Amino acid sequence: MNDTIIQGSPEWLALRLGLPTGSHFGEVMAAGKSGAESTTRRNYRMRLALEIVTGKVLESTFKGNGHTERGHEREPFARMGYEAITGSIVQEVPFVKHKFLACGVSPDGLVDDDGMVEFKCPIPAIHWDYLQLPAGVPPAEYKWQVYGEMWVTGRRWNDFVSYCEEMPAELQLHINRVHWDDKIIAELDAGVSKFLAEVNVTVQEIRDFAARKAA
C-alpha cells in the first residue's frame, strides 16, 4: 500500500487495472432475472477482461458525473466535520488489495485501529433518505461497497457518512456505523471469487479468438 499515490491519478488507475473494486462490488453481486447474469455484471466482467488483455484502463472505468464531482468538492469538508465530531483522525489511503484475491478497494479513510469511513455528499433529497435509515444499515446501493471495504481491509466497522451542506446545520453530517457481518462477508467472498473465475474464462476466450483471427 503506497500512501503517496493520489486517488484518480494514473498511478492509482494502474493499481486497479483489471481488478474488481469496491465501488463496483454491487455490479459483481447483481442478480439477473431467472438466475441469468445481469447486464451490469456482464458489462463489468467484459470491461475487466479487456483491461487485462489490452493492459489499458478503459475510459468508462473512471469517468465521473455531476454527483462524483460534487463529492470530490465537498468530501474535505465532510472529513473535517467527521474528525471534529468523533475526535478521530482519518488516515487517507489510495488503494488496498485483498490479501488473497485479485480485487481491492479505495476507502475514503482508515480510522483508529479497526475502523474506516466512507463519505458521500448527496443532494438534499437523498441525504434525507439516508437520515431515515436504521442504525447499522447502509443504503442498499452502497451495501456491497461498505461491507466490501471491511472485507478487503479486515477492519471491523465502517462509518457511512453523508454530508449535505444545504441541510440545517444540525442535520448536515450524519454518521451511520456499519459493523462486520459474517454472513454478508461470506456471501461477498463467494460472489467475488466466482466473478474472478468468470473474468479469467472471458480473458482466455478473447485471447483464443484473437489468436484464431490472426492465424
Side-chain angles (χ1 to χ4, degrees):
M1 182 172 65
N2 190 335
D3 293 349
T4 64
I5 294 177
I6 300 173
Q7 289 192 17
S9 67
E11 294 82 6
W12 178 76
L13 293 171
L15 287 175
R16 297 156 45 96
L17 188 144
L19 302 180
T21 57
S23 58
H24 293 283
F25 283 164
E27 295 164 59
V28 173
M29 301 300 291
K33 295 180 180 179
S34 302
E37 183 178 30
S38 69
T39 300
T40 55
R41 187 180 187 278
R42 177 186 182 277
N43 290 346
Y44 190 47
R45 173 170 57 80
M46 287 298 302
R47 190 162 79 192
L48 293 183
L50 286 170
E51 287 190 356
I52 294 171
V53 170
T54 64
K56 298 177 181 178
V57 177
L58 299 187
E59 184 179 7
S60 58
T61 302
F62 58 94
K63 229 176 191 180
N65 54 37
H67 292 292
T68 56
E69 291 175 4
R70 175 187 173 95
H72 291 154
E73 292 173 356
R74 302 188 181 196
E75 185 178 312
F77 300 102
R79 184 181 300 107
M80 286 188 290
Y82 176 82
E83 291 181 335
I85 290 173
T86 64
S88 297
I89 300 299
V90 176
Q91 177 192 351
E92 296 182 61
V93 292
F95 190 67
V96 182
K97 290 185 178 180
H98 192 280
K99 288 184 178 180
F100 307 111
L101 298 176
C103 62
V105 295
S106 297
D108 288 333
L110 305 180
V111 182
D112 300 333
D113 295 327
D114 60 352
M116 59 196 316
V117 61
E118 179 63 33
F119 295 110
K120 302 297 180 186
C121 302
I123 60 175
I126 296 177
H127 181 76
W128 177 249
D129 288 341
Y130 294 165
L131 290 173
Q132 310 306 308
L133 290 171
V137 178
E141 62 268 34
Y142 294 115
K143 171 185 174 180
W144 296 114
Q145 179 182 11
V146 170
Y147 283 106
E149 289 175 346
M150 288 187 277
W151 170 58
V152 170
T153 63
R155 298 266 162 158
R156 304 305 294 182
W157 53 264
N158 196 346
D159 278 343
F160 182 87
V161 178
S162 182
Y163 172 74
C164 180
E165 63 183 23
E166 291 91 350
M167 297 292 284
E170 61 272 19
L171 299 178
Q172 288 180 358
L173 189 80
H174 179 61
I175 303 172
N176 192 350
R177 179 159 297 185
V178 181
H179 290 275
W180 180 283
D181 184 299
D182 286 336
K183 183 178 179 181
I184 294 175
I185 296 297
E187 185 179 352
L188 181 61
D189 188 293
V192 174
S193 297
K194 181 175 184 291
F195 180 77
L196 286 170
E198 293 174 9
V199 169
N200 289 337
V201 169
T202 305
V203 167
Q204 194 57 52
E205 289 175 345
I206 294 171
R207 287 174 171 162
D208 290 345
F209 192 83
R212 291 196 298 271
K213 293 289 285 187

